[in-house]
Each structure stands twice: as C-alpha cells, then as structure tokens.
Amino acid sequence: MKELPNPTFALSPLNLPRGSLHPAQSNAAVDFMPRRAQSAIEVSWAKHQDEVREAQRLRFDIFGTEMGARLSTKVPGHDIDLFDDYCEHLLVRETETGQVIGTYRVLTPEQAKRAGSTYSDTEFDLTRLRDMRSRMVELGRSCVHADHRQGGVIMALWGALFEFMERNRLDVMIGCASIPMLHNGIVTGNAAASIWHQLRETHLAPIQHHVRPRLPLPVDQLEHDLSIAPPALIKGYLRLGAKILGAPAWDPDFNTADLPMLMQTADIPARYRRHFAGNA
C-alpha cells in the first residue's frame, strides 16, 4: 500500500504521514441522514493512495459517466489531475458496506505554494485575493453518490471541513461551483447566465474581492431571464454565507459554467456553526 506524499502544512511536522494532521476520532460514525433514508455513515481523511483512489473512482462515476465530462486520466475509471497529490481528501463512507459515497478535496495554503497555484487560478485571475492566500483553503471536486443526495452526506462533509478549518486556524474557503450546461436536454449557457444574473443582485462579494474568468461564459449574449433555481450545492453554500466573486467561467472539459465562490468562517450563520461544532 503506497503512502501518500507528506502534507506540508506549516503547522505540522514534515515527517508525519498524510492524515496524521487529523485526530483519530474524526473517523467516528455520524447520523445526519433524514429518517426516511437513514444510513450510518463515517467521515475520515484519506491516509494512503488506495483511499484517494476510492475518491477518484467516485468522481469519475459522477463527473465522467453521469455528467459526461471529458476526463483525461492516466488510470482508467479514475478522475485524476495534477492537484490531487497536493490535496487532503475527505471521505464519507457508508458504514455497512464501506463504500465511499461522498468526497471533497482540500488544498491548503502551504500545499498551494508547492503546487504553484490552486485549481481556481487556472479558471480565474485571483489577483484581488492575494492578501488572503496565507489563510485560504481551496475546496474542490465535491460529489455525492446519486443514492445518497438527501442532505446528510453533504452536511457530514461540511461539518468535517468546518472542524478542519477551526483546528488549523484557517478562515477563508474558495472554490468553483459548477452549473451544468445541459438544460432541458440542450447544451446551452442560458441556465448559467440566468443564475448569474439572479445571484449578482443578492450575493455578489464586495468589489475588492472580484475576480475575472480566463475563459468567460458570454453571459450578456445569452438568454438570462429564465426562472431557474441554482443547483443545490450552490444554494447550500449561499445559506452558509458564501459570496459570488464574479461572472462564471466556461469549463469545456466538464461542460459546466463555474462560479467563483468565497466563504469566510466568520460569515457562517450561528445556527450552522453550533451544528457543526456539536458534530465535530
């Protein structure tokens, strides 16, 4: 079993293996599932390559098979990119089967330096966020198995992320939140343009934090008055206090429009903070 490269958190000795930053009790089983679809789940951080491969297989099934993304990968059936080796990988398992049913990857400030950038840097000019870099974590590749999208798995993931941020004294999270280009059976940017025009009125960050897409979706040339709700994950981020940093970028490989989002832990509403702290 191949051990992963050592994590490079400034607050962790470099001779510790991946996963040693995370206390053993973070593997505890949790019960966040609604009663109508209850299933015991376990939250943990990947400690070796085999566990990361499980997350990458889930990502491939969802992004590649379910969503039709064009994935260039060196391992068939796995979604792998150059940032994976620098990230911490958060896993949710179904206790009974041991199957990974949810995942996030987390790129810390120190690892972003080693990687040379964040994934978000490849889609957006993040110059205006430079003063936040030293305390900014990037979240990415979030996905949940189709049979477990009732809310409990994503709440478990968010609870573990909140605990991670608190414990490591980091307070800014960024990421690209995707909107599928496929709408009513047609590949179009109209849904993404409409969602952007809705959210810019209510959830746009202050101008000093605005970023620019490197490959912009032409939102002003598309139909943007559709009555359409944002994807569930984006709505969840907004409930947690996240802000939109600017207009979406077009990701042709994943066939999505990606909204740049930023969330500061201080902006998370008190009721969610209490919930996450109680389940950490």
Side-chain angles (χ1 to χ4, degrees):
M1 186 175 295
K2 181 183 176 183
E3 292 297 322
L4 295 178
N6 292 331
T8 58
F9 291 65
L11 44 87
S12 173
L14 290 179
N15 62 341
L16 296 179
R18 184 178 296 274
S20 56
L21 292 169
H22 313 294
Q25 59 265 32
S26 65
N27 282 2
V30 293
D31 178 12
F32 291 145
M33 298 298 289
R35 292 299 169 187
R36 61 184 176 84
Q38 189 170 2
S39 176
I41 56 180
E42 298 178 356
V43 185
S44 63
W45 294 90
K47 296 181 176 64
H48 50 73
Q49 187 79 50
D50 290 354
E51 291 185 328
V52 175
R53 287 287 185 256
E54 291 181 88
Q56 291 167 338
R57 285 196 293 272
L58 175 65
R59 286 163 29 184
F60 184 91
D61 288 345
I62 293 174
F63 300 137
T65 304
E66 181 180 333
M67 299 176 61
R70 296 193 302 269
L71 301 174
S72 177
T73 176
K74 60 185 179 182
V75 181
H78 295 69
D79 168 40
I80 301 172
D81 74 2
L82 62 88
F83 291 97
D84 276 334
D85 281 345
Y86 298 93
C87 290
E88 299 287 320
H89 297 263
L90 182 58
L91 312 174
V92 175
R93 296 181 185 275
E94 188 175 42
T95 302
E96 184 177 354
T97 64
Q99 179 185 6
V100 172
I101 57 175
T103 186
Y104 257 107
R105 73 177 186 188
V106 179
L107 184 64
T108 64
E110 291 300 316
Q111 288 290 64
K113 289 179 185 177
R114 178 165 286 188
S117 74
T118 66
Y119 178 86
S120 299
D121 282 294
T122 69
E123 292 209 55
F124 299 93
D125 179 352
L126 303 184
T127 300
R128 291 186 175 182
L129 304 185
R130 58 184 176 273
D131 292 341
M132 296 181 171
R133 293 274 188 176
S134 64
R135 51 196 175 89
M136 186 175 79
V137 161
E138 182 186 54
L139 308 180
R141 290 302 205 267
S142 169
C143 59
V144 176
H145 190 283
D147 294 340
H148 297 271
R149 292 175 184 166
Q150 299 89 355
V153 173
I154 197 66
M155 288 299 288
L157 288 165
W158 284 346
L161 289 170
F162 177 79
E163 188 272 339
F164 176 90
M165 298 292 290
E166 291 280 295
R167 175 162 40 83
N168 291 302
R169 297 174 185 166
L170 300 165
D171 64 355
V172 178
M173 292 171 273
I174 65 161
C176 302
S178 297
I179 303 170
M181 298 286 281
L182 186 65
H183 179 61
N184 291 335
I186 302 173
V187 176
T188 171
N190 294 340
S194 297
I195 291 170
W196 155 244
H197 278 274
Q198 291 174 38
L199 298 182
R200 68 186 295 183
E201 300 299 323
T202 56
H203 293 88
L204 191 61
I207 192 170
Q208 64 266 28
H209 294 155
H210 288 187
V211 304
R212 292 182 178 274
R214 300 191 186 280
L215 182 59
L217 187 74
V219 289
D220 294 327
Q221 301 172 32
L222 295 167
E223 184 178 352
H224 53 258
D225 57 358
L226 300 180
S227 179
I228 183 171
L233 188 62
I234 292 179
K235 289 195 290 187
Y237 286 143
L238 298 177
R239 285 196 296 269
L240 290 175
K243 298 294 184 183
I244 308 296
L245 299 178
W250 176 42
D251 184 337
D253 291 330
F254 277 77
N255 202 25
T256 59
D258 291 344
L259 277 177
M261 302 192 74
L262 179 145
M263 181 163 55
Q264 301 186 72
T265 56
D267 293 336
I268 298 176
R271 66 183 183 278
Y272 289 112
R273 295 174 65 88
R274 288 193 297 268
H275 176 81
F276 294 149
N279 285 293

